[in-house]
Amino acid sequence: MPTGDQACVQGWSAIAERLRETVAKRAARKTVLVVECYPGVDEHAVLGELQARLQPALVLSAADALLSPQAVDTLVSPFLGGNDPVFGFLCGLTMPQFFDPEKLEALRRQVAAQPTGLVLVVGCGARQVHEGDVLVYGDLARWEAQLRFRRNEADNLGAHNRSLSAGLQYKRAFFVDWRVADRWKRPLIAKWDFVLDTNNPQEPKLAEGEAVRRGLRHAVSRPFRVVPFFDPAPWGGQWMREVCNLDRSAKNYGWCFDCVPEENSLLLGFGNRAFELPSLDLVFEQPRALLGEKVHARFGDEFPIRFDFLDTMGGGNLSFQVHPLTEYIQHHFGMHYTQDESYYLLDAGAGAGVYLGLQNEVDSAAMVRDLHVAQSGGASFPAEKYAPRWPAKKHDHFLIPAGTVHCSGADSMVLEISATPYIFTFKMWDWGRLGLDGKPRPIHLDHGIANIQWERTKDWTRRNLINRFEPLGSGDGWREERTGLHACEFIETRRHWFTKPVPHHTQGGVNVLNLVEGRESIVESPDRAFEPFVVHYAETFIVPAAVGPYRIQPSGPAEGHECATMKAFVRT
């Protein structure tokens, strides 16, 4: 970040000193320091570290004003989907509903009764106790929150449940906690005096709120990447381990979220320090500059495009699955748009294939019967009897509008270019295998069968969903093709092949790109509006709507070789 060297400090002692200086500059008889926290932040540790160093006259924990865990469980229960291990309903709850008004009032009276000195209030919802003379926001990336669930280090909002399975904690966070916390966070961003980064508890950092906001404004003026994360899977492969130079001790890597701002984080550089915060903060703070006016008008402050990787190279098939239709996801889960997808083949082994669509003259009753038989422990589901398996090779593009039966086969490296909803997969057959926890993965036959579009048979699929490449234009050293997505989907995808600079323009909407061929390319502004941005093979990057014109050309080891990008944007 420009001129950000002094805006960030690291370590609890330096953090306390910066806060002490801020309090001293107020020259007030009494200062209330509020540390508002996102769910998953270790409030107890934050309170303890600051209390030990600041020696406040009064210390309060916002958690003391929460409803009882039993009352919170009752409050959130309607949104947790009963016994369903995966799905609930997006809640409309707000932070104050988790608190006992009488307990809150008691804490407020304690603050009011303290005549002098420093008052420290810490926790989720802390600003209900006092608005704060100094407001610190303790933020946390959702991926780190998930890792804390897995390590039994964090509870859900208002609960004492860290011994619950990580999957059930994630479900509750997805449908309840994160919705509540984001509603509470949005209006506070403009009021942050400081932001606290405890994603790495051993290296806490504190940045000035205005420096963070300035950094977010800077981010939407140029291309950038979010921080990817990688995870193993029952079907996971070996391609990402080699190409992305990942930890060799892991059994496999099946997933990579390379552009899912709901889950990924963003790094702001303050001097030699990398300050981590959720990518969603950028979406909340700069939605129009990032998304563009028309995209923002349609989706609000949600990032609608998702790029992720599915690695089955040396692994197994994905589950045989389908995604919900728009009205189904709205009525059953509270999402306002659905999980339309596509598979772009970054790489493929010999014999790779994709199950997509249904066989001509498919017997729907027989297929449903065989799915139920397989699920009840009978004969394995004969997938190829009901769904054609299409040969797949590098740079093929398979389009998957919601309601289309599909499954990526083994020995494929898929770049999934899709709408942002990402957990709404109805697995109908998982090839009789166990998950990484040694248990069968959840199957949702009723949901899946209710959404299958039976008219999407082999002939229809061939005409509409496979390699729908259309040349659009060319220039000196480059050519452009439309590759999708299907007319039912709101995302447009373009592929550019180039050996020389190729011109692009955001046309007022956010662009998401991946370098799908070539070792390295450079993204530049024709009028030097931003610093040149280097991307490497298989890296995804975002070009905010506000950028306008930009160009991409091979660089470094790729000079003199043909490169290719896949670009996605929202049709408007």
Side-chain angles (χ1 to χ4, degrees):
M1 295 300 107
T3 66
D5 291 19
Q6 306 304 314
C8 178
V9 296
Q10 179 174 314
W12 285 114
S13 294
I15 289 170
E17 182 58 29
R18 179 62 62 90
L19 293 175
R20 190 180 295 110
E21 292 171 358
T22 301
V23 171
K25 286 179 182 178
R26 294 190 72 248
R29 294 182 67 248
K30 172 182 171 181
T31 295
V32 181
L33 171 60
V34 169
V35 184
E36 180 70 52
C37 296
Y38 200 79
V41 170
D42 189 341
E43 301 174 14
H44 180 76
V46 171
L47 187 150
E49 297 287 357
L50 294 180
Q51 181 179 12
R53 289 167 173 81
L54 296 176
Q55 296 294 307
L58 176 65
V59 179
L60 299 174
S61 171
D64 290 340
L66 283 164
L67 296 171
S68 70
Q70 295 77 19
V72 171
D73 286 347
T74 300
L75 177 69
V76 305
S77 178
F79 306 100
L80 298 184
N83 293 325
D84 192 307
V86 178
F87 302 122
F89 194 92
L90 291 182
C91 82
L93 299 173
T94 61
M95 188 68 76
Q97 291 176 268
F98 285 73
F99 286 79
D100 184 317
E102 292 184 2
K103 293 179 181 178
L104 268 179
E105 188 55 37
L107 294 184
R108 291 168 184 153
R109 286 196 296 269
Q110 289 188 62
V111 174
Q114 180 63 40
T116 61
L118 177 64
V119 176
L120 176 64
V121 187
V122 177
C124 290
R127 203 164 180 270
Q128 295 177 97
V129 178
H130 193 281
E131 289 190 353
D133 300 311
V134 178
L135 175 62
V136 178
Y137 193 89
D139 220 338
L140 191 72
R142 288 187 184 176
W143 176 237
E144 174 58 25
Q146 292 177 60
L147 294 178
R148 294 182 185 189
F149 289 153
R150 295 181 188 182
R151 298 191 298 258
N152 298 322
E153 294 175 355
D155 301 304
N156 285 108
L157 178 60
H160 297 315
N161 67 348
R162 62 185 59 188
S163 62
L164 192 67
S165 75
L168 291 177
Q169 282 193 292
Y170 176 85
K171 180 182 75 166
R172 182 160 167 170
F174 183 92
F175 288 99
V176 178
D177 299 0
W178 295 337
R179 311 301 155 179
V180 172
D182 288 344
R183 290 188 187 101
W184 189 245
K185 175 198 284 189
R186 283 180 178 94
L188 296 183
I189 294 176
K191 301 175 182 179
W192 292 346
D193 294 307
F194 294 96
V195 185
L196 179 64
D197 167 13
T198 60
N199 286 281
N200 180 351
Q202 306 308 313
E203 297 180 355
K205 302 181 183 75
L206 185 78
E208 296 170 3
E210 181 51 38
V212 170
R213 288 186 290 271
R214 188 167 60 246
L216 296 177
R217 291 193 295 270
H218 181 63
V220 294
S221 71
R222 50 160 296 158
F224 66 91
R225 275 177 54 73
V226 294
V227 179
F229 64 80
F230 302 84
D231 216 20
W235 36 263
Q238 307 300 319
W239 191 93
M240 289 192 292
R241 184 205 309 273
E242 298 301 322
V243 173
C244 304
N245 194 28
L246 302 178
D247 181 2
R248 296 299 196 270
S249 66
K251 183 178 180 180
N252 70 60
Y253 290 97
W255 302 89
C256 171
F257 275 21
D258 205 33
C259 177
V260 187
E262 275 203 35
E263 301 256 355
N264 291 112
S265 55
L266 184 69
L267 298 179
L268 300 181
F270 295 114
N272 61 356
R273 295 190 176 95
F275 190 85
E276 185 172 5
L277 71 167
S279 304
L280 266 181
D281 289 356
L282 180 64
V283 184
F284 293 159
E285 173 65 5
Q286 294 290 323
R288 289 178 173 84
L290 175 63
L291 303 177
E293 292 290 346
K294 291 182 179 179
V295 177
H296 177 256
R298 181 172 179 180
F299 294 97
D301 54 1
E302 290 191 22
F303 196 93
I305 301 171
R306 164 172 58 96
F307 275 40
D308 61 87
F309 296 143
L310 306 171
D311 181 356
T312 68
M313 297 288 279
N317 296 336
L318 299 185
S319 63
F320 188 74
Q321 60 189 245
V322 69
H323 300 301
L325 302 174
T326 300
E327 62 270 24
Y328 198 91
I329 202 170
Q330 289 173 341
H331 296 162
H332 288 79
F333 310 115
M335 293 289 294
H336 65 273
Y337 64 108
T338 196
Q339 192 165 326
D340 289 313
E341 294 187 338
S342 74
Y343 289 165
Y344 186 87
L345 272 292
L346 268 179
D347 206 349
V354 171
Y355 294 87
L356 186 64
L358 298 162
Q359 297 287 7
N360 292 330
E361 310 300 331
V362 64
D363 184 335
S364 60
M367 177 173 162
V368 169
R369 182 178 62 248
D370 284 350
L371 283 168
H372 280 289
V373 168
Q375 176 59 14
S376 63
S380 294
F381 177 68
E384 290 192 46
K385 177 180 177 181
Y386 297 107
R389 184 180 184 276
W390 305 91
K393 63 183 185 303
K394 187 174 183 177
H395 295 306
D396 282 348
H397 198 184
F398 298 86
L399 314 180
I400 313 172
T404 308
V405 169
H406 63 284
C407 166
S408 176
D411 291 322
S412 299
M413 182 61 207
V414 171
L415 168 62
E416 201 169 34
I417 303 174
S418 309
T420 287
Y422 52 92
I423 72 165
F424 298 95
T425 296
F426 301 145
K427 299 179 184 70
M428 297 184 290
W429 170 239
D430 204 24
W431 310 97
R433 67 185 162 209
L434 300 178
L436 295 176
D437 59 0
K439 301 176 183 178
R441 296 200 297 167
I443 300 294
H444 288 89
L445 270 185
D446 290 344
H447 282 317
I449 292 166
N451 284 276
I452 294 173
Q453 299 301 284
W454 296 99
E455 74 279 5
R456 294 179 186 171
T457 55
K458 186 174 183 178
D459 291 343
W460 186 92
T461 298
R462 181 187 291 109
R463 291 193 306 269
N464 291 278
L465 303 183
I466 300 174
N467 291 338
R468 302 297 299 156
F469 302 151
E470 177 187 352
L472 293 179
S474 61
D476 181 19
W478 62 269
R479 66 188 190 278
E480 179 183 15
E481 305 163 303
R482 177 186 289 117
T483 73
L485 298 182
H486 185 262
C488 291
E489 304 177 77
F490 65 78
I491 294 173
E492 176 92 357
T493 52
R494 305 282 181 89
R495 181 168 59 192
H496 291 82
W497 298 92
F498 54 97
T499 56
K500 295 182 179 180
V502 53
H504 292 261
H505 200 293
T506 63
Q507 302 296 335
V510 65
N511 291 183
V512 181
L513 301 94
N514 186 283
L515 185 64
V516 297
E517 185 69 38
R519 291 180 61 186
E520 179 180 298
S521 288
I522 190 166
V523 188
E524 297 176 306
S525 168
D527 54 4
R528 300 183 180 181
F530 58 81
E531 292 291 318
F533 182 73
V534 174
V535 294
H536 303 95
Y537 176 57
E539 288 184 344
T540 301
F541 59 101
I542 297 169
V543 182
V547 167
Y550 61 101
R551 62 175 176 245
I552 305 176
Q553 67 185 71
S555 66
E559 289 185 20
H561 300 275
E562 187 172 57
C563 296
T565 56
M566 279 293 294
K567 176 170 72 173
F569 56 91
V570 174
R571 293 168 175 151
T572 56

